[in-house]
Amino acid sequence: MRIQPIDLTNENRLMQDYRSQSNHILQKFHYNPYKKSDFKQRLEHIQKRSYKRDELADHLHQVNSKWGAPEQTLSNIEKVRDPESVVVVGGQQAGLLTGPLYTIHKIISILVLAEQQESELGIPVLPVFWIAGEDHDFDEINHIHMPYGQRMKKFKIMQKQNEKLSVSDMEMDEEAIKTWLERLFSQLDETELTNDLYHNLLKELAASQSFVDYFARILFYLFPEKGLILMDSDHPELRELESDYFKDMIRNQERISEGVVRALHESAQQGYPINLEADSSDGHLFYEQGGRTLLVRNEEGNWEGKQNECSFTTEELLQIAEENPEKLSNNVVTRPLMQELVLPTLSFIAGPGEVGYWAALKPAFEALDIEMPPVTPRLSISLLDRKSEKWMNKHSLQVQKAVNEGVSEDKNYWISMQSYPPIEQLSDEVKKAIERAHRPLKEKAHSIRDDIGQLAEKNLFELFRDVEFLQERMIHALEDKHTRELEVFDAVDLTLNPEGKLQERTWNILPWINKYGITLGERLCDIEYDWTKPHHVVYL
């Protein structure tokens, strides 16, 4: 493998300024993730705080064992008890077969940074990935995209969602998943790895009850040697551990909400619009009553559902946090706070959208007298197979342009150059010659009568249209003649810029591990990345 860092042309201004360490953005965070000294400062801050380490380790051991965790993971969980240990953490929804590639890239980022910081700091730095099990958006996780001819096709499981259940609580329809897997594997090129891969995925499916279970087991299948620790953010036993922290959020709701609204307004004025809706009345907590209800504060200071589904005084909600914390869950504002209170977090690995909304959360952390950890943008990666690389070299295609824009412009230029002079150029010259020859006739027609002049104009238009018709037929004939070469351009587009998007937002890991083996993810962890670069192309 070799690696090539490249720039992204469509990265938003906030991310550009964050990577370039602009003070306008860095002042919205407590730490600069690109400075080594800030990690040491962060470590000093963690060492001054206390965490429920034993309770957390017991819980993590139980759930990871249930998911068939490898020895390296269980060993790392024991290190959670060590008061010197810290974690690098990030998370995502429980997508089928891990969902889009960016989930894999986030895990790689966690593993790489944890290993780097353990070497730098000389203490245990543990990689943790939380699964957003409380998420209810089933449409986001119930499919993957796979190559289908010269396009990407959505392959969706035939299971309906019970809208009242979280992903953690939904049982999978095992037969529906099996049928779906058969469809997927019918689209794969047969390799020496295909049969084992298929049967191992079926094996993990048989051992799973929920989508979170299946997601977790596949991650351990893909990363067995790296000591990755998994946690389900919706697990009832984790909620018990979080009880006191829910109380802190309830008591400080006003400071949290008003601070976030103020930060969002300030960012917008500075030209950094953040995709986060917030109001000072937002409770930033969900209440579970056969479905998640987002809580707000009314004018009397009581807590109620947005649609008046429920109502509590602050004292009643504090009692729920004490006695039934499993009925509460966090939203996008308070989840980072809960993560910070539960885990000794050295750094949070964030996607581009997460970096954006975390830029508004500094006041929320300060409302609880804690600091935001260094927010490290996850690695963004495009995988380039040898066949695509070969064709790109043959046609002198630039990888940065291919990733950012695709190669349709190069394709059109190439086909136009298969005729010399180019057909378009010949067509233009013919139309100019027709216009010169036609001009005396047109002028004479106008001098005879206006309607005859209009007829002459129409006659010229029809002549042009005939030339353009011939031009189109000649181009189509050239395309038919060079179908093989044109398919190469389409294949490169499908690999690096599918549907005009980054590869990582559309492709799933399945075709890649079918070709390069299940150790691909761990091998991608062994590459030296430049964290300041927005994107990396990995040549396989």
Side-chain angles (χ1 to χ4, degrees):
M1 290 184 186
R2 62 186 178 89
I3 189 169
Q4 179 182 351
I6 65 170
D7 290 325
L8 294 178
T9 57
N10 62 348
E11 193 170 46
N12 64 44
R13 182 187 164 206
L14 188 151
M15 280 301 302
Q16 289 176 349
D17 288 356
Y18 192 64
R19 288 187 197 283
S20 64
Q21 303 169 58
S22 166
N23 193 53
H24 289 298
I25 286 296
L26 288 181
Q27 66 183 357
K28 301 178 185 300
F29 300 82
H30 286 112
Y31 297 95
N32 179 349
Y34 301 110
K35 284 178 64 177
K36 286 186 179 181
S37 59
D38 278 31
F39 283 98
K40 293 180 180 178
Q41 290 176 24
R42 172 63 181 174
L43 181 58
E44 291 172 4
H45 172 77
I46 292 173
Q47 290 171 340
K48 294 175 184 175
R49 292 175 50 196
S50 61
Y51 300 88
K52 300 177 182 180
R53 289 180 177 271
D54 287 334
E55 296 97 317
L56 178 61
D58 290 343
H59 168 70
L60 292 175
H61 192 279
Q62 178 188 347
V63 295
N64 282 262
S65 296
K66 172 196 167 189
W67 292 325
E71 279 302 316
Q72 289 85 344
T73 292
L74 299 179
S75 175
N76 270 349
I77 289 173
E78 284 306 303
K79 294 176 184 176
V80 171
R81 304 180 194 278
D82 183 348
E84 293 291 310
S85 69
V86 294
V87 307
V88 172
V89 63
Q92 203 70 43
Q93 299 103 319
L96 281 172
L97 300 186
T98 72
L101 274 171
Y102 59 71
T103 299
I104 297 296
H105 299 166
K106 186 172 282 188
I107 291 169
I108 291 168
S109 305
I110 292 168
L111 293 168
V112 170
L113 187 62
E115 187 174 340
Q116 288 178 352
Q117 289 303 315
E118 182 162 293
S119 176
E120 290 278 341
L121 300 173
I123 58 168
V125 181
L126 313 174
V128 175
F129 186 87
W130 55 257
I131 307 165
E134 73 271 30
D135 200 286
H136 281 63
D137 196 345
F138 187 56
D139 287 340
E140 277 196 18
I141 69 160
N142 67 359
H143 65 276
I144 68 168
H145 288 88
M146 288 269 288
Y148 187 79
Q150 295 300 323
R151 64 185 179 89
M152 298 298 287
K153 180 180 178 180
K154 179 190 282 190
F155 288 83
K156 183 178 176 180
I157 58 169
M158 294 291 98
Q159 176 174 340
K160 293 183 179 180
Q161 178 190 20
N162 181 335
E163 294 182 2
K164 294 183 178 181
L165 294 178
S166 68
V167 174
S168 277
D169 294 329
M170 279 186 68
E171 284 195 16
M172 291 186 301
D173 183 335
E174 187 173 339
E175 290 305 314
I177 304 289
K178 284 182 180 178
T179 301
W180 177 77
L181 282 172
E182 288 174 7
R183 290 176 61 215
L184 293 183
F185 274 80
S186 71
Q187 301 302 312
L188 290 177
D189 294 331
E190 185 80 21
T191 72
E192 59 183 10
L193 306 170
T194 306
N195 190 56
D196 283 347
L197 178 57
Y198 176 67
H199 285 97
N200 281 320
L201 291 176
L202 286 179
K203 176 185 172 185
E204 300 301 345
L205 175 63
S208 305
Q209 288 186 311
S210 72
F211 290 94
V212 168
D213 293 342
Y214 196 35
F215 180 86
R217 286 181 168 277
I218 290 175
L219 286 186
F220 285 142
Y221 176 54
L222 296 176
F223 295 94
E225 303 294 332
K226 293 294 184 178
L228 180 65
I229 300 171
L230 302 180
M231 57 191 297
D232 176 5
S233 59
D234 194 41
H235 200 285
E237 288 186 7
L238 183 62
R239 289 283 183 267
E240 291 181 19
L241 193 149
E242 295 171 343
S243 173
D244 291 339
Y245 308 139
F246 278 123
K247 294 177 193 175
D248 290 341
M249 295 172 196
I250 292 167
R251 295 187 183 104
N252 290 282
Q253 175 272 335
E254 188 173 350
R255 289 181 64 201
I256 291 171
S257 298
E258 290 181 354
V260 170
V261 170
R262 188 169 59 250
L264 288 170
H265 181 67
E266 180 184 273
S267 291
Q269 286 184 322
Q270 294 172 338
Y272 300 113
I274 294 172
N275 186 25
L276 176 65
E277 293 184 8
D279 188 89
S280 58
S281 65
D282 290 337
H284 297 298
L285 293 173
F286 288 97
Y287 178 71
E288 180 70 39
Q289 54 171 18
R292 286 207 308 172
T293 299
L294 188 61
L295 299 175
V296 296
R297 297 290 296 275
N298 61 24
E299 293 179 358
E300 290 76 36
N302 291 331
W303 301 69
E304 59 186 22
K306 267 201 166 183
Q307 308 300 325
N308 297 314
E309 303 95 327
C310 56
S311 180
F312 308 102
T313 64
T314 296
E315 289 71 26
E316 288 171 335
L317 197 60
L318 286 169
Q319 187 174 1
I320 291 170
E322 173 69 29
E323 298 175 0
N324 302 104
E326 73 280 358
K327 289 185 173 293
L328 299 177
S329 59
N330 300 110
N331 80 338
V332 70
V333 168
T334 55
R335 178 187 283 164
L337 303 179
M338 185 63 79
Q339 176 183 283
E340 174 63 18
L341 293 165
V342 170
L343 299 169
T345 305
L346 181 68
S347 182
F348 174 65
I349 298 292
E354 290 171 310
V355 174
Y357 72 73
W358 275 63
L361 300 186
K362 187 177 181 181
F365 280 82
E366 292 175 345
L368 299 185
D369 295 322
I370 54 178
E371 291 183 351
M372 186 188 304
V375 178
T376 306
R378 68 162 174 81
L379 297 167
S380 180
I381 301 168
S382 286
L383 304 175
L384 185 60
D385 60 281
R386 297 183 190 95
K387 188 176 180 180
S388 296
E389 180 187 1
K390 173 187 171 184
W391 284 111
M392 290 185 71
N393 290 337
K394 178 180 178 181
H395 292 285
S396 300
L397 301 177
Q398 299 301 309
V399 71
Q400 179 161 313
K401 183 182 178 184
V403 168
N404 281 290
E405 305 170 26
V407 296
S408 57
E409 184 180 320
D410 301 274
K411 173 184 173 181
N412 293 335
Y413 176 76
W414 183 86
I415 193 65
S416 72
M417 295 306 294
Q418 301 316 298
S419 166
Y420 187 81
I423 292 171
E424 290 88 344
Q425 180 182 329
L426 285 172
S427 178
D428 288 342
E429 290 174 358
V430 169
K431 285 193 283 187
K432 288 175 184 177
I434 289 173
E435 186 177 22
R436 284 195 300 270
H438 193 272
R439 188 177 300 126
L441 190 62
K442 183 175 67 173
E443 291 172 352
K444 187 64 176 178
H446 276 288
S447 70
I448 294 173
R449 208 166 64 204
D450 283 347
D451 61 326
I452 301 299
Q454 291 173 4
L455 183 62
E457 296 281 0
K458 184 178 180 182
N459 176 246
L460 180 60
F461 173 78
E462 294 290 346
L463 291 170
F464 280 179
R465 194 164 69 173
D466 285 342
V467 172
E468 289 165 359
F469 174 76
L470 178 60
Q471 172 188 330
E472 288 178 10
R473 291 299 297 269
M474 292 170 70
I475 290 174
H476 285 317
L478 266 181
E479 290 175 349
D480 289 341
K481 182 179 178 181
H482 298 288
T483 299
R484 172 80 178 123
E485 290 289 333
L486 293 178
E487 286 176 351
V488 166
F489 287 92
D490 293 337
V492 170
D493 246 354
L494 190 68
T495 299
L496 291 179
N497 191 253
E499 301 175 3
K501 302 174 185 176
L502 290 177
Q503 177 195 92
E504 63 182 20
R505 304 208 68 80
T506 307
W507 280 75
N508 178 264
I509 192 68
L510 181 60
W512 299 94
I513 57 176
N514 178 58
K515 188 173 183 178
Y516 295 100
I518 63 162
T519 62
L520 176 62
E522 292 195 336
R523 284 185 281 133
L524 288 170
C525 294
D526 297 331
I527 298 174
E528 188 171 338
Y529 298 93
D530 183 344
W531 289 92
T532 66
K533 295 296 183 181
H535 199 74
H536 296 82
V537 177
V538 176
Y539 296 79
L540 299 174

